[in-house]
Amino acid sequence: MGIETSCDETSAALLETPNTICSHVILSQDEHSLYGGVVPEIAARAHLRRIDDVVEKTFRDARCTLSDLDAVAVTAGPGLIGALLVGVSWAKALAFGLGKPLVAIHHMEAHLFAPSLEDPDAGPPFVGLLVSGGHTLLLYVPVWGEYHLLGETRDDAAGEAFDKVAKLLGLSYPGGPAIEDVSSDGDGMRYHFPRPMLNSNQQSSDKDFYDFSFSGLKTSVATLVSELDSQGKLEDERNHVAASFQDAVVEVLVEKTLRAVEETGCSRVLLGGGVSANKRLRNEFNRKLGTKGILFLASPRLSLDNGAMVARAGAYRLEKENIASLNVSADPRLPFPGLVRVSE
Ligand code: KG4
Ligand code: ZN
């Protein structure tokens, strides 16, 4: 069983084999849209109210009972402490009560495993791009458990940029799907936003060759939005601004990943995290990688936070005998296991 409560999805899943999902329940909290972002205390309380039902329904749907369980995997971090604690406490109680192993999972490692739930070939070696609300990581993964960090964001994560720009444009939370939605009627060439840390003179030895930065891009959008607003043009231009912003983020993500493909000589690319649900990003990767490589992508449901990817990562960690003690706690800054910084 995998349990996920790190942010605003309460989710549980049962796997029959490491790659076969028996049942999967994902409950998204819509309470936060009122506030334009996730409110940690509300998230924790909502997980607490729902986790019993979510886990129970997962067993019911799979026609399984508690005694069928082999192990319990849970996201132990990173994430919101109150939210994480709900899942971790539940998983500990379940594991202790049944005398079964508990496996503590890093949320971003779980995202890496999501595509393999639909395609057993989606494994190393690959260049991995993880893009979520809290992280932007570019990795080279020669084998599971060994994660060479090529680049990461120096400020905002890609998903965070989508969420903040959506807010500037008066769109709802979560910002990613809202921006994708209005962009479909927009002209992405109308405004040219900067492509942060992307220029053709960079060498692979440069520190910013693989790194990302999205906060300046957000500021450029903010400046344009206030100009358009003062001219009374924001309403008409919103879709074009959104599409132009989306194009800028997508271009940076795709180009930096392709640099990694070129430099590592590995043409297998795996995308993970909520932003990888973005159609424009998926299409651009497909177009640019073309027949030169293989792209591994989870379906949108499994790209966003879910319990099945936690169970899948749990199966891997269980096989490695990485069993957690019942003293394990939730850690909002849990280090990525096996992460090795390549540059510096
Ligand atoms: O992985 P995830 O579900 O949760 C975290 O681990 O953070 O990612 C959530 C992030 C949010 O910032 C959300 O706006 C973004 O993923 N996102 C998207 C799309 N769907 C979700 N960003 C761009 N396009 C989307 N379709
Ligand atoms: Zn996530």
Side-chain angles (χ1 to χ4, degrees), residues 4 6-7 107-108 111 131-134 273-274 303-306 309:
E4 158 64 40
S6 68
C7 191
H107 182 78
M108 300 313 290
H111 273 301
V131 271
S132 71
S303 299
L304 298 163
D305 288 353
N306 67 84
M309 67 181 191

